[in-house]
Amino acid sequence: MATPTPGEPFSEAAGEAVQTAVMATRLVLAIADAVRRHQQNKNKGQEEDLPPADEAVSETAEGIKSLIPSDISAALMKEADWPQMAQQLVALRNAGVDLGQFLPRVGDIAVSVQEQVAANEARVAREHTGEWDRMLRETLPAGPVREAILSSPAWPDMAATMARLDERGVDVRAILASAHDEGLGVDQAVAKVLGAEAVPRMSQDARLSSGPLTIGLKIPPDLDLSDRQRALKQLAISPQEHERYARWVQEAMPGREREAGLLLTHKQWPLVAARMADMEAEGKPVREHLARLGKDVSWEAGPGPQLGSRLVQAANDALRRPLGDGAPESRVRVNTTAARATSTSMDPTKAQAAKGATPAEAGVAPHRQTGPAQKSGKTK
C-alpha cells in the first residue's frame, strides 16, 4: 500500500482516507465479481476464465484513470492485487457489464467512504467476522446478490474488509446497500448475455412456504429447500448460527432427542431457523420462546408420519407468540362433545343424546338456552 509522509498528521489522515476508499472499491468489485461468477455457474454450469493479468491491466488502466478520482485510482493501481482487480473488471465487461456506467458509480462509493474517514476520527469497537452474516441479512434483501456473497469463496475476505472499514468509522451498511444495487445490475447484465431471466421465477418451495411459516421473513423467490446448505445460504444463516439454533432446540426438548431430530431434519427447518435469526437480531429471547416446545407437547397428538410437520408448526407458533400469551390450545380448544353432536356423520340418536348431555354449550349463555318453558305456578 502507498503510505503517507510520516510526521504530517493531515497528510497521514488523508492517506488513510484514500486507502480506506481503495478498500471499499476492492469490496464492491469483489461483490460484483461474485455475482458474475454465480450467474454464470447457475446458467452455464461453469464460470468463464479470467483474462491474462497483463492484458487486463493494459485494457483497464485508462478507464480507471478517467472514471475514478485521480487520488483513488492512483492508489488503486499501486496495490499488489491491482492485476486481479483489473482481471475482474475485464471479466465483468466481457460478461455484459457497461464499465462506462459501472466505474463512475464505484468511484462515487469510494469518494463517499473517503469523506467519511476524513470527517470521522472516532473509532468503533471491532466486531467478530461472524457478525457480518447478520448484517447482510438485516441490510440486503433476500435474492441473487445476497446468495452470491455468502456462497462466494471470497466471503471471509469480504467480511474481514467490512470489519476494517467499520473500524475506520465507515457506514458499511450504506456501502452494502449501494453495492447491492450494483450487484443487481451485474446480475441482470450477465443474465441478459446468457439469455437467462434476471429475476428468478418463484420456486415451488417459495410458493408452498407462503403463509404462517414465512410471515415477516424475507424469503428469496427461488428458495430451494431441497438443498439444505443452499437454503441456509439463501436465508443468510451462517454455519455457526445454524449450529447454535440446533443446540437451542435440543436444550428446549430435554429427553426428546428423537423429536428434536425430526424437527431439525425436516425440510422446512431452515424457515424456523430464519425466524430465530431475525428474532435474535432484534434482541428477542429466542430460547425462552423455544422452551414452550418442552412444556406444551400438544404436537404429540396426531398421526406419527406427520410428527415432523407438526413440530415445525409448533416451533413457529412458539416463536411468534408473545411471551406470557397462553398456550394455543387454550385459545382454540373445541368442545368435542358439541362438535360430535353437530356432525352429520354421527348417528342421529347419539347426536341427540350428546346434545342432551351438554346443556351449557360453548358460546351460549345459560339464560339463552332453549328448553321447556317453566310453569308460572298459577293454576286455573
Side-chain angles (χ1 to χ4, degrees), residues 68-359:
I68 289 182
S70 58
D71 55 347
I72 298 176
S73 62
L76 188 69
M77 296 173 69
K78 291 179 182 178
E79 293 292 296
D81 61 346
W82 160 239
Q84 288 74 34
M85 286 188 277
Q87 287 177 300
Q88 292 175 339
L89 286 170
V90 173
L92 288 170
R93 185 198 63 193
N94 293 343
V97 177
D98 185 349
L99 296 185
Q101 296 182 11
F102 176 75
L103 282 176
R105 292 195 293 265
V106 174
D108 290 341
I109 296 172
V111 169
S112 175
V113 170
Q114 183 181 16
E115 292 172 348
Q116 288 180 59
V117 176
N120 186 0
E121 296 181 356
R123 296 295 183 263
V124 293
R126 179 174 179 172
E127 297 179 14
H128 292 296
T129 337
E131 295 299 319
W132 299 102
D133 294 82
R134 183 174 294 112
M135 177 177 279
L136 275 182
R137 179 170 48 251
E138 295 172 353
T139 306
L140 305 187
V145 177
R146 194 171 80 179
E147 184 182 355
I149 295 171
L150 291 171
S151 61
S152 171
W155 165 236
D157 292 334
M158 293 185 209
T161 300
M162 292 180 204
R164 289 194 295 272
L165 290 170
D166 185 58
E167 206 175 32
R168 288 163 171 76
V170 176
D171 185 351
V172 180
R173 291 177 184 271
I175 296 180
L176 283 176
S178 300
H180 172 265
D181 294 339
E182 297 307 319
L184 282 182
V186 171
D187 183 69
Q188 293 168 357
V190 178
K192 184 177 180 180
V193 172
L194 295 173
E197 295 183 1
V199 179
R201 294 179 179 177
M202 181 172 284
S203 66
Q204 184 178 15
D205 284 336
R207 200 163 48 245
L208 294 178
S209 298
S210 178
L213 270 180
T214 57
I215 291 176
L217 298 179
K218 295 178 180 178
I219 302 299
D222 58 342
L223 179 66
D224 183 8
L225 293 176
S226 63
D227 185 335
R228 171 63 60 88
Q229 186 175 7
R230 185 189 177 199
L232 292 172
K233 287 181 178 178
Q234 287 181 303
L235 296 167
I237 299 173
S238 69
Q240 295 80 8
E241 287 176 318
H242 183 242
E243 181 180 352
R244 182 167 67 254
Y245 300 150
R247 185 176 67 253
W248 288 356
V249 166
Q250 292 164 343
E251 292 172 353
M253 304 174 69
R256 298 178 182 274
E257 291 78 10
R258 172 181 171 274
E259 290 80 357
L262 287 174
L263 171 58
L264 296 174
T265 56
H266 194 276
K267 182 179 181 180
Q268 292 180 313
W269 157 250
L271 297 174
V272 178
R275 189 170 301 283
M276 294 169 69
D278 278 9
M279 292 176 65
E280 187 180 20
E282 294 170 4
K284 295 181 179 178
V286 180
R287 300 171 81 173
E288 292 183 34
H289 282 263
L290 281 177
R292 291 167 164 164
L293 288 175
K295 297 174 182 177
D296 171 21
V297 293
S298 56
W299 43 262
E300 288 184 329
Q306 299 172 12
L307 179 56
S309 296
R310 292 197 302 274
L311 281 163
V312 168
Q313 299 297 332
N316 184 60
D317 180 75
L319 292 169
R320 290 186 60 202
R321 279 191 296 117
L323 291 177
D325 190 12
E329 69 271 18
S330 66
R331 294 183 285 114
V332 298
R333 182 174 288 162
V334 178
N335 186 324
T336 53
T337 307
R340 286 195 299 270
T342 57
S343 173
T344 56
S345 63
M346 187 174 181
D347 183 272
T349 58
K350 292 181 180 179
Q352 186 63 36
K355 287 182 180 179
T358 56

Side-chain angles (χ1 to χ4, degrees), residues 32-44 47 143-145 147-149 151-152 187 190 194 222 230:
D33 190 60
V35 174
R36 173 191 67 82
R37 292 171 182 270
H38 180 73
Q39 181 63 261
Q40 289 177 336
N41 277 316
K42 186 168 64 175
N43 291 280
K44 297 176 64 177
E47 59 194 55
V145 177
E147 184 182 355
I149 295 171
S151 61
S152 171
D187 183 69
V190 178
L194 295 173
D222 58 342
R230 185 189 177 199

Side-chain angles (χ1 to χ4, degrees), residues 55-79:
E55 293 181 11
V57 167
S58 62
E59 288 182 30
T60 56
E62 290 303 317
I64 287 289
K65 292 177 182 177
S66 61
L67 298 175
I68 289 182
S70 58
D71 55 347
I72 298 176
S73 62
L76 188 69
M77 296 173 69
K78 291 179 182 178
E79 293 292 296

